[in-house]
Amino acid sequence: QLQTQEAAVQRYKADHNLNETADGTSFADQQITAISNQLVLAKADLAEKQATNDRVQALVKAGDTADVSQILASPLIVQLRTQQGALIAQESDLNTKYGPRHPKMVAMETQKRDLQDKISTEVSRLAGSISNDVVVARAQVGSLSASLAQAEKQAGSQNLVRVNLRALQSNAQSTRTMYEAFVTRLRETQDQDVIQTPDARVISRAPVPSAASSPKRTLIFAASIPAGLMLGLLTALL
């Protein structure tokens, strides 16, 4: 009966695709937990990227590329800023020697504009990259949310099926408890039989006596006659 009921439990699991871990947790519940954890991390990543994107876009609209370059920390922008600082230092030195219309000063202004254009171009590129990262992160959140909803739906349908599974498992467990109780009782009885069985055998049966074997009445009667005579003589003498 126990084997039949346990086989029915396994067959029911296979028919309804019910898989469980060693501790009894269903794979559907584990999947929900894993997706939920991923969704929390994805939402945190999206919030961080969205905040960075909003700040960068606000600075770009205000034309404050210096603060944008500090936020983005691009190696190319750092290099261009270094070159720009060197040009400003050279410009300050040349400004004391030449006038604003001197060819060297004109070339210096041209280089400064070129560097500023490159910085603006790099800032725009990085700002666009951050916007794309926000779009990707939002899509990731949406995908995980859809997966979570599907997993919860699947778990909900499996929970209805698990009601019958729990009933089958309960019956099998009850039968197993009874079976183990019977096995335990059987072992106890067998152990008692081993203890109570004597390590001896009967060679022959003893006959039932017809009279008492002790005390010897004849011997006592024979001994009482001389004892009585001696007691009588002793009394007469006294």
Side-chain angles (χ1 to χ4, degrees), residues 190-221:
Q190 290 176 342
D191 293 340
Q192 290 177 359
D193 292 340
V194 172
I195 295 174
Q196 293 176 359
T197 301
D199 188 12
R201 61 190 180 89
V202 178
I203 298 177
S204 62
R205 295 292 178 180
V208 179
S210 59
S213 60
S214 179
K216 300 294 185 179
R217 295 182 179 180
T218 305
L219 181 61
I220 293 174
F221 180 75

Side-chain angles (χ1 to χ4, degrees), residues 80-224:
L80 293 175
R81 287 293 185 188
T82 302
Q83 295 178 6
Q84 190 180 41
L87 285 176
I88 292 174
Q90 293 177 11
E91 182 184 17
S92 177
D93 183 52
L94 293 175
N95 193 25
T96 60
K97 298 179 181 180
Y98 309 106
R101 295 184 179 181
H102 193 274
K104 289 186 177 181
M105 295 296 294
V106 174
M108 189 72 65
E109 289 294 333
T110 303
Q111 292 180 9
K112 286 173 59 179
R113 286 194 298 270
D114 291 341
L115 285 175
Q116 186 60 41
D117 292 340
K118 290 180 180 179
I119 291 174
S120 299
T121 302
E122 181 65 11
V123 168
S124 299
R125 186 188 69 81
L126 293 176
S129 177
I130 290 179
S131 299
N132 291 334
D133 291 342
V134 172
V135 173
V136 173
R138 186 176 290 110
Q140 179 70 12
V141 170
S143 176
L144 289 173
S145 298
S147 299
L148 179 60
Q150 183 178 1
E152 289 177 345
K153 182 179 179 180
Q154 181 180 2
S157 61
Q158 285 190 355
N159 288 336
L160 297 177
V161 178
R162 288 181 184 278
V163 174
N164 293 331
L165 176 62
R166 295 289 181 253
L168 293 175
Q169 290 177 335
S170 178
N171 292 335
Q173 183 60 36
S174 299
T175 305
R176 173 171 288 278
T177 302
M178 295 175 59
Y179 170 72
E180 292 176 351
F182 283 132
V183 171
T184 302
R185 181 58 182 163
L186 174 62
R187 291 175 180 173
E188 292 176 353
T189 305
Q190 290 176 342
D191 293 340
Q192 290 177 359
D193 292 340
V194 172
I195 295 174
Q196 293 176 359
T197 301
D199 188 12
R201 61 190 180 89
V202 178
I203 298 177
S204 62
R205 295 292 178 180
V208 179
S210 59
S213 60
S214 179
K216 300 294 185 179
R217 295 182 179 180
T218 305
L219 181 61
I220 293 174
F221 180 75
S224 63

